Amino acid sequence: MSDRANNSHTAKRGPRAGLLRDRAGRAYASRGFTLVEIIVAVGAAALVAVGLAAIFDSVGKTVSGGRRLSDENAQIALLEQTLRADFARMTRDGFLVVRQQYANLNGDNTITLAADSVVFSDGADERVPPRPRRIDEIMFFAKGDFYSVREPLDSSYVAQAKAARIYYGHGQRAIPDLADASAYRRPRLNARQNEIAGRLGVRSADNPNQFARDWILLRHVTLLAEPEANPALPERAVFEFNPSNTTQRQRLLDRDTQIALQPAASSIFRTLARTFPDDLEGGRPTEQGEQKTLWSDDLYTGDPSPWPRFSSGTIDIATTSLDEIRRIVTTSQVAPADIGNADDWRNNPPTGSVSFGAGSSTWQQRRDRSHQWMLDALPTWSGWGGTPVAQQEFEGTRMRTEPAAPDYFTVLAADTSSQSEARRAASRRGDQLMLSASNILARCSEFVVEWTFGKFDPSTNEMIWYGGQTTPSGGRLKIAQYLSSVPEQAVLRITREPSGETKQSNQVVSSNLIHPSFPAGLPGATEVTALFGYYDWESVGTNSGDEFDAAAACPWPTMFRITVRFADERDPGLERSFQFLLPGPGQQ
């Protein structure tokens, strides 16, 4: 082997094996990045990363904001479509109640900025400071095709009606009672809403309604369905009851507290539903006595024969009709507060006539009674003032609602090994689902209803709206004054003549025609209530002997303005507002 070969071998394996050679054969040592180069490279990468993060953050916020707006728009679109459909079906064969009200936190029937400011949310920032909040209600009657939202117990028994009472207003969640958790988890058909400490806005660690962002707006539809005289029942059995058996068939029939196997209130009026839980035919009770319904039995511990209450949140049927409702409102000889027992009603039934002959009540007395009956048709005693009848709901409370069924999975796991147990489980499942079935807008922090006769203020040339503006004075907050006998409040008056013809003239609306003389303190404390009935009582009273069909119609609003405010689901300190203009029945 030559010396050159030996030297080459040594160069490859010797201590200088780490040297590299260029094309000329010169050797040089390999090296990495310098510190300056590394710093520059890291800085450049950081700048790129920050830029990409900003871009992705912007894109993420845009996508998140788009989804949020999409969700909000979907909720508001659904609310608006539902409102328009309901208001379009409003009928003057019923009556209309608009209650404009502030949340009264201490129950003193006076709104002050200091004592009645509702906190928006737990830990909300300064974007939504505490303030008094409106919790208005509107109730009217509509015609159309209506179905119970309660889960049917059998596919052949579906509760439906051609008329319904429609109610919009905030619901009230129940306070979980740790001492008797079953009372909270298991709704009862006759549970009255007596959670005074749970009223909207009342500050309490246990109150789920203390923050405005947690409030829920309801759309509650009550079917007006009278029992059929001779119904044709399906031949197959329902649970353990066979229609071919005379005794068992009775459990499947409609009656004043049961329609299509579902629980029902015997009247749209709370007082009558309480006084006559079993039978109320044609506005007068019968002597048939209690008849067991499919759902009564022993479904509700401690309540062997409960009478359904709308305040429980589980009832959406009343066994009545628009004709019966009008007869009670317009011709009843006794007010709801005067009915302490069945005899008070039996001895003073509706007359069916508004004739003002000798010995009849004055038109002012009939007007006041009609107003009280209209107030009695609200689902709960939501207002202030007056004296609630024994066993009625407490003042300022609302119909129960929940974001979801409080104990649904327990009901699903219930024993259904027998037909009777399956029936109980099905009824209780329906109760659970009903507590959230009427929820139409979650996180609704305010609901404002205004109305107008379509008249303009000549001094400002602006439309006159009632119930929207507020008048602060000395730290107190009052809903604006409504009506007074001034030319600007003149509305069209339609008079039906005996010949069938109609006459039209201008009518200056009296405040007493629209607003009740009871409860006291109106207008302008915590609430102002407007009641639009069937006829102009003053016109009827000054024309002795006239029947309803010959009387002047009561003026009704020509337009409504609905304002809703609701909290953002993701941002607890963000609140949005929407407003809708809806046509009213006017002078139809």
Side-chain angles (χ1 to χ4, degrees):
M1 181 178 295
S2 65
D3 292 339
R4 178 176 292 182
N6 289 335
N7 291 337
S8 175
H9 181 74
T10 301
K12 292 179 180 180
R13 294 183 176 276
R16 299 177 62 84
L19 294 178
L20 302 176
R21 294 179 181 273
D22 58 17
R23 291 182 178 181
R26 295 188 296 270
Y28 64 90
S30 62
R31 66 182 180 84
F33 291 106
T34 65
L35 179 61
V36 173
E37 291 173 332
I38 292 175
I39 292 175
V40 171
V42 171
L47 289 175
V48 172
V50 170
L52 290 175
I55 293 174
F56 286 128
D57 180 64
S58 177
V59 172
K61 288 182 178 179
T62 301
V63 172
S64 177
R67 288 177 178 174
R68 179 173 61 194
L69 289 176
S70 178
D71 293 342
E72 291 175 355
N73 289 336
Q75 293 182 65
I76 292 301
L78 174 61
L79 176 61
E80 182 179 12
Q81 292 172 5
T82 306
L83 281 167
R84 292 193 181 279
D86 287 340
F87 277 63
R89 294 185 291 183
M90 185 185 302
T91 175
R92 292 190 59 162
D93 289 341
F95 56 86
L96 165 68
V97 177
V98 179
R99 171 164 281 161
Q100 294 152 326
Q101 183 181 39
Y102 282 105
N104 187 14
L105 306 192
N106 56 13
D108 62 355
N109 201 20
T110 299
I111 296 298
T112 62
L113 299 176
D116 296 293
S117 289
V118 179
V119 177
F120 181 69
S121 68
D122 187 10
D125 55 34
E126 296 180 354
R127 286 177 293 175
V128 189
R131 63 174 178 82
R133 288 187 174 270
R134 289 278 288 273
I135 51 173
D136 292 0
E137 301 171 279
I138 182 168
M139 181 192 74
F140 55 89
F141 295 85
K143 291 182 177 180
D145 294 317
F146 300 95
Y147 297 87
S148 173
V149 297
R150 194 178 176 94
E151 183 182 32
L153 297 182
D154 186 276
S155 59
S156 297
Y157 295 80
V158 178
Q160 54 186 308
K162 292 294 184 181
R165 176 188 67 179
I166 298 181
Y167 169 84
Y168 282 89
H170 282 98
Q172 180 176 326
R173 298 167 61 183
I175 297 178
D177 189 350
L178 299 180
D180 183 13
S182 63
Y184 168 78
R185 295 196 309 265
R186 180 178 295 178
R188 307 261 176 94
L189 297 178
N190 70 334
R192 62 175 176 169
Q193 190 61 281
N194 58 358
E195 300 281 8
I196 297 179
R199 288 193 302 251
L200 299 178
V202 175
R203 293 303 303 272
S204 169
D206 298 328
N207 184 13
N209 308 293
Q210 62 178 312
F211 301 120
R213 80 177 310 271
D214 297 326
W215 295 350
I216 301 173
L217 182 67
L218 303 184
R219 171 191 179 259
H220 188 270
V221 179
T222 304
L223 277 62
L224 309 182
E226 294 186 295
E228 292 187 41
N230 298 297
L233 301 182
E235 295 181 359
R236 70 173 183 275
V238 179
F239 298 112
E240 70 267 41
F241 302 110
N242 194 322
S244 61
N245 182 293
T246 304
T247 302
Q248 295 180 16
R249 175 184 173 85
Q250 294 298 316
R251 297 292 291 272
L252 305 178
L253 293 175
D254 289 350
R255 55 180 56 87
D256 277 346
T257 50
Q258 177 172 290
I259 297 291
L261 310 184
Q262 303 289 15
S266 62
S267 176
I268 204 74
F269 303 103
R270 301 190 308 272
T271 298
L272 295 183
R274 171 188 60 84
T275 309
F276 305 105
D278 300 315
D279 280 294
L280 188 71
E281 288 294 333
R284 300 188 63 180
T286 65
E287 303 292 344
Q288 296 178 7
E290 178 188 352
Q291 300 178 25
K292 275 195 173 183
T293 56
L294 189 76
W295 48 266
S296 60
D297 205 13
D298 57 347
L299 284 174
Y300 304 92
T301 304
D303 299 313
S305 180
W307 56 275
R309 294 177 186 262
F310 294 111
S311 60
S312 69
T314 61
I315 307 299
D316 70 345
I317 305 173
T319 50
T320 186
S321 66
L322 288 174
D323 288 341
E324 180 180 75
I325 291 170
R326 185 174 76 167
R327 183 167 59 251
I328 292 174
V329 169
T330 58
T331 71
S332 177
Q333 301 180 61
V334 63
D338 297 329
I339 300 177
N341 54 59
D343 287 338
D344 292 334
W345 177 257
R346 290 190 178 101
N347 296 332
N348 299 279
T351 63
S353 171
V354 72
S355 173
F356 287 89
S360 65
S361 302
T362 65
W363 67 266
Q364 292 94 338
Q365 291 172 326
R366 288 181 177 267
R367 176 202 62 201
D368 292 346
R369 284 200 296 267
S370 71
H371 283 170
Q372 292 180 41
W373 279 111
M374 292 181 197
L375 293 173
D376 198 64
L378 287 166
T380 62
W381 190 277
S382 55
W384 301 91
T387 303
V389 180
Q391 300 301 315
Q392 291 284 18
E393 296 74 32
F394 288 91
E395 291 178 308
T397 57
R398 299 298 181 93
M399 187 186 308
R400 184 184 177 184
T401 187
E402 299 293 341
D407 202 21
Y408 188 64
F409 292 105
T410 300
V411 174
L412 288 181
D415 176 24
T416 57
S417 57
S418 66
Q419 291 289 337
S420 60
E421 291 300 328
R423 170 172 57 87
R424 293 183 177 89
S427 293
R428 287 172 175 158
R429 185 169 63 246
D431 295 340
Q432 292 280 328
L433 296 175
M434 282 295 289
L435 292 183
S436 60
S438 296
N439 298 355
I440 193 170
L441 185 62
R443 305 180 306 281
C444 180
S445 54
E446 197 158 26
F447 182 62
V448 182
V449 181
E450 303 165 76
W451 57 270
T452 179
F453 283 135
K455 297 297 177 180
F456 289 83
D457 186 338
S459 61
T460 63
N461 202 31
E462 295 181 351
M463 186 173 291
I464 302 173
W465 289 94
Y466 299 110
Q469 293 74 27
T470 56
T471 307
S473 175
R476 295 182 62 183
L477 204 59
K478 295 184 178 182
I479 297 175
Q481 175 76 30
Y482 269 102
L483 301 171
S484 59
S485 297
V486 295
E488 291 90 301
Q489 271 111 28
V491 298
L492 185 64
R493 171 177 174 174
I494 298 179
T495 305
R496 298 183 183 90
E497 297 299 315
S499 62
E501 298 178 354
T502 59
K503 289 196 310 184
Q504 298 182 359
S505 62
N506 285 331
Q507 172 189 19
V508 177
V509 179
S510 167
S511 177
N512 290 333
L513 177 63
I514 306 300
H515 304 295
S517 58
F518 142 83
L522 297 177
T526 64
E527 68 186 53
V528 174
T529 303
L531 305 171
F532 303 93
Y534 303 90
Y535 298 97
D536 179 350
W537 283 101
E538 184 172 4
S539 174
V540 174
T542 56
N543 292 277
S544 180
D546 283 352
E547 297 293 332
F548 273 167
D549 290 341
C554 174
W556 278 44
T558 57
M559 191 178 298
F560 299 91
R561 185 163 64 187
I562 307 292
T563 304
V564 294
R565 296 183 177 89
F566 66 101
D568 187 276
E569 184 177 10
R570 298 171 179 83
D571 188 343
L574 186 61
E575 184 180 32
R576 300 189 182 277
S577 301
F578 287 85
Q579 193 170 83
F580 315 109
L581 290 177
L582 304 170
Q587 298 301 306
Q588 297 177 7

